[in-house]
Every structure is written in structure tokens, then in C-alpha cells.
Amino acid sequence: MLRSHSFPATLRLACAGLLLLLSLLAASASLAADRQRVTTFLNVTGFDVALDSIALSAASAPQMLGLDVGTFGNQWGRLSDDVFDTAVMRRMAEDILVETLDDAALDHAAAFYASDLGQRLVRAENAAHMVADDEVKQEAGSRIIADLVKSGSERLVLFQRMGRAIDAADTGVRAVQQIQFRFLMAATAAGVIDLELDADELRALLDSQADAMRLELQASGLASSAYTYQDFTDEELEQYVTALEQEKMQEVYELLNAVQYEITANRFEELARRLADLTPAQDI
């Protein structure tokens, strides 16, 4: 359902004021869904696999901090597996969604994704989510986009509409900044890195990169869509995009984006804190 993003692509997906947004959504939900319905919803829509794919982002986390993962030996693999435990992340999502996901919105999204086209889309998205090497996916998608541009294909317009529908509130850039900020500040507080910027200076630096980041997000999203949906016809993509542009689906995506972003930020904060406990060059 949501895009799969390996680090730092996942890190480029969070929104400012996530907890505030979730609290507002919770307050406005007239009838929250029960846990079993939410669990079924996650499976039908493929959001459960999207959550699992957050774990793939851990591989490049040390690079963000200027660390060499090899320094930590086998400890690193055990730590990242523990912090990004898929059962833990799914439970976190369920805890939020049972309080915030409106039954009407749940039914609307589930009905589309349960259809024949919906399930084919979910299978394609799930497969794309779990491609461990994001560069492979991006390169293949970029080649497809280049061919579409050369041929003047309307398919490119469909992918652009899809990107806008998935992030209708245009929170992607602010999302990146928030996750980066939380991760770096947590690592600094834990003594993992010595950041020479204070909080205000770090925010200013991230803000200065916003325009370049927005272009990068757009290009990455187009390539990801081209790769993921290459086996679908233009007519099927038109049907999908039209469904994504509907108001109820927009509500669902706003919430699910926020949930995924918050879980990503939470897990990277936890990773930063626990990195301080690792002993360089020591295998246990």
C-alpha cells in the first residue's frame, strides 16, 4: 500500500507534528475499529508488509551517523533485528489504528484492496517493498521513466497523479526533516556521535536542503512507481489513481502515512539509544 523505502529513503518519509496529527485524528474518529478488524485491514491492504519493510532501512543507519557497521561485528545484526522486530512494529501500528481509524474509512479502503485489481496491486507492492537493494529498484524504475519521457507516454502523468494522491498534504519533505532530526538528536543524547550543531542549527540546516529533497522525493517516487506497476495496463493504473484520489482513501493514506512515519522515527530513536551499548570489534 505504501512505498517501500530503504534507508535513507525511509528516513525521507515523516511529517512534522506526527503525534499532534495522530491525536487530532483520534479525536475526530467517530467510531474506532477493533483490533481484529485492523489486523485484517493491514493484511488486505498490504500495509503490514509496508511496516515490515521499515526493517530494511536499518542497514544504512550507521552511515547516517558516520559509523562503520563492521566495527560492531555480529552485534549490529542482532541489535537491528531486535529494534526493528516486525511483530513489535505491527503491534505499534495496531495500537494507534484501533484508536484512530474510522470504520467507514477502513471499509472504504479495504473494499478496494479486496477486489481482484486491488489484490494484484497489493501483491506487486508487497514484492517491491521487500526488495532489499533499493538502488536496484530505483535504477530499473529510472530506466522505465526515461523511456516513458522519450515516448511522451501518458503513463508518466498517471504516476505523477499517484504521487500527489499518496501524499496529498505534501508532508514528505517535512517528514524527512522530522525523522532525521529525531534520529540525530537521539544519537547525540546517547553519546553515539558528537554533533556540532544545536537543535535550532540542525533544523536550519535541514530546512536549507528542503528544495533539493523535494526534487529527490519526486524522482524517487516516480521511479518506484514505474518499477512496482510495470505489469499493469494504463487503464488499470487509471482505475487505481482514481481510487486513490477519492476523499475517503485520502483520509486513510494521511493516517497510514503518519503511522508509518511515527513508527520509523520511534525505531530509529531506539536504535540510536542502543547503539551506545555496543562495543566496537566485540562479538558476543
Side-chain angles (χ1 to χ4, degrees), residues 7 57-59 61-62 65 76 79-80 83-84 183 186 192 265-276:
F7 200 93
S57 65
L65 302 178
W76 168 254
L79 174 61
S80 60
V83 172
F84 292 90
F183 183 44
V192 175
N266 176 281
R267 292 296 82 195
F268 274 101
E269 285 180 321
E270 178 66 14
L271 181 67
R273 287 189 288 267
R274 293 180 59 178
L275 273 172

Side-chain angles (χ1 to χ4, degrees), residues 1-5 46-47 49-51 53 56 122 124-132 137 228 260:
M1 190 168 190
L2 300 182
R3 298 285 184 272
S4 170
H5 304 277
F47 188 59
V49 177
L51 291 169
S53 71
L56 298 177
V122 168
E125 289 167 352
N126 286 352
H129 286 323
M130 301 312 295
V131 174
K137 183 168 59 179
T228 302
Q260 187 174 25

Side-chain angles (χ1 to χ4, degrees), residues 36-65:
Q36 183 55 53
R37 292 193 70 208
V38 166
T39 300
T40 301
F41 171 82
L42 294 180
N43 179 260
V44 169
T45 61
F47 188 59
D48 52 358
V49 177
L51 291 169
D52 293 349
S53 71
I54 293 174
L56 298 177
S57 65
S60 299
Q63 183 180 358
M64 269 292 298
L65 302 178

